[in-house]
Amino acid sequence: MSMTAEQAEWFAQTVTRLVENVGEAVLGKERVIRLTVTALLAEGHVLFEDAPGTGKTSLARALAATVQGSHSRIQFTPDLLPGDVTGVTIYDQKTQAFEFHRGPVFATIVLADEINRASPKTQSALLEVMEESRITVDGTTHDVGRPFLVLATQNPIEQAGTYRLPEAQLDRFLIKTSIGYPDTAATVRLLSGATVRDRSASLEPVITTKALREMADLATTVHVEDAVLEYVAVLAERTRQAPQTRLGVSVRGALSMVRAAKVWAAAGGRPYVLPDDIKELAPAVWTHRFVLDPEAEFSGATAEDVLAEVLAAVPAPQHRAGVPG
């Protein structure tokens, strides 16, 4: 059953309330918050590439408070072990049995700070939980539950002692974006309330995690025309065929786009996806999946430039009579 117009209107109003509530703690960053909420409802994850002190921790706390969820933070360091992320099994001498002690990934919103500072082995500990929302320790599977969102950060400035994120892990992030520094007006508001260390602490919840799960399920019923699906497929193919790329958008990347576009359309009050939704989301959903040819990169080519060329070269499908929108 497809989403109705009334359901789409309710969905859009609820997303707006979520974004506005989080915006009370993260000032002047409506689009970034909206992208993060989109990832949450599409059951994906977000990678932030930002300098320190731009509000990533505040965003994670504010979002957890808004959805009545739990929040945890993992500071990735070179000596961090996989068990520090997922949890470990420990023998209890009193009960004479092994007990699993949950790691910090068992939370609604998980902030994985400076993920590129940990070893590849520890980075890979996140892969299963990000893809499957569960982990396996000593042969036993543990579900982390729904909703579940990883907000990972990497510092683009201090690269000494960091490990580059492999393409397989980058591909598991639904969205890559940057919070950036606030504008002057938002900075003044922050400075005027400098005595408040945690703005998210005063936020009232807007929705329960149970209702959020229902919203995520509802988003999957948004209608996508075959012509729009073909548009996504052709765009993905063109990114792989572009002479500047060694690796373009994968099938997982195309699927991620459709999932994100459904949420984006519903958040706009529509029970159907438009080609414009694809165009608007493409930079955030796709550019981190590109691997540029070294010569093209040396010549100054960027993933954003390649994507812009592909979007300009592939004509968007037109609406047909009798089709929604």
Side-chain angles (χ1 to χ4, degrees):
M1 181 182 294
S2 296
M3 178 185 286
T4 65
E6 291 76 16
Q7 288 173 323
E9 183 179 356
W10 169 82
F11 194 102
Q13 291 173 351
T14 305
V15 168
T16 297
R17 289 169 55 210
L18 292 172
V19 171
E20 289 176 348
N21 201 60
V22 176
E24 293 295 318
V26 185
L27 304 179
K29 298 297 177 182
E30 180 181 347
R31 178 171 174 81
V32 173
I33 298 170
R34 191 168 285 272
L35 284 171
T36 305
V37 171
T38 297
L40 177 63
L41 291 170
E43 299 188 298
H45 308 285
V46 184
L47 176 63
F48 292 104
E49 189 169 81
D50 266 307
T54 54
K56 299 177 289 290
T57 302
S58 296
L59 174 59
R61 288 176 176 171
L63 190 57
T66 297
V67 302
Q68 286 189 337
S70 56
H71 161 262
S72 68
R73 179 178 178 273
I74 310 169
Q75 178 62 55
F76 278 67
T77 56
D79 59 348
L80 192 73
L81 299 175
D84 297 328
V85 175
T86 59
V88 294
T89 301
I90 298 176
Y91 183 74
D92 190 326
Q93 292 184 340
K94 292 183 178 179
T95 61
Q96 295 187 344
F98 286 95
E99 292 184 358
F100 177 66
H101 290 240
R102 294 185 170 193
V105 293
F106 288 88
T108 308
I109 311 294
V110 178
L111 178 64
D113 211 3
E114 295 191 303
I115 188 175
N116 55 331
R117 293 204 176 280
S119 67
K121 183 177 182 180
T122 302
Q123 289 178 11
S124 67
L126 275 179
L127 288 179
E128 181 187 10
V129 68
M130 287 173 61
E131 187 72 12
E132 305 291 341
S133 294
R134 64 189 180 194
I135 62 169
T136 303
V137 178
D138 296 331
T140 303
T141 300
H142 306 271
D143 291 325
V144 297
R146 296 173 64 206
F148 173 68
L149 175 68
V150 173
L151 302 179
T153 78
Q154 59 178 356
N155 186 345
I157 308 300
E158 300 173 6
Q159 292 298 318
T162 64
Y163 300 84
R164 183 176 179 272
L165 295 182
E167 284 72 28
Q169 187 159 333
L170 284 171
D171 204 28
R172 281 168 168 78
F173 286 100
L174 178 69
I175 286 171
K176 180 185 176 185
T177 186
S178 171
I179 295 179
Y181 292 109
D183 58 22
T184 303
T187 302
V188 170
R189 285 185 61 192
L190 284 168
L191 295 176
S192 66
T195 55
V196 181
R197 297 185 62 88
D198 184 7
R199 286 175 171 267
S200 64
S202 61
L203 294 182
E204 293 293 331
V206 170
I207 195 172
T208 63
T209 52
K210 179 178 182 296
L212 201 70
R213 290 194 296 270
E214 293 172 354
M215 285 185 70
D217 292 336
L218 181 61
T220 64
T221 66
V222 171
H223 179 73
V224 188
E225 276 292 308
D226 288 343
V228 176
L229 294 176
E230 184 177 352
Y231 181 56
V232 172
V234 172
L235 287 173
E237 287 178 9
R238 292 291 183 88
T239 66
R240 297 192 290 266
Q241 296 167 357
Q244 304 98 318
T245 61
R246 290 177 55 194
L247 189 68
V249 175
S250 66
V251 175
R252 181 189 284 120
L255 289 168
S256 296
M257 172 60 79
V258 174
R259 285 164 41 211
K262 286 186 173 186
V263 175
W264 195 260
R270 284 179 282 102
Y272 52 86
V273 173
L274 294 175
D276 285 347
D277 297 324
I278 309 300
K279 292 179 181 179
E280 191 165 2
L281 286 170
V285 177
W286 276 355
T287 52
H288 62 285
R289 306 172 194 271
F290 289 17
V291 176
L292 296 179
D293 179 81
E295 291 187 9
E297 193 170 10
F298 183 76
S299 300
T302 65
E304 290 77 11
D305 293 336
V306 176
L307 180 61
E309 290 179 11
V310 171
L311 289 172
V314 178
Q318 301 297 316
H319 298 307
R320 302 193 307 273
V323 175

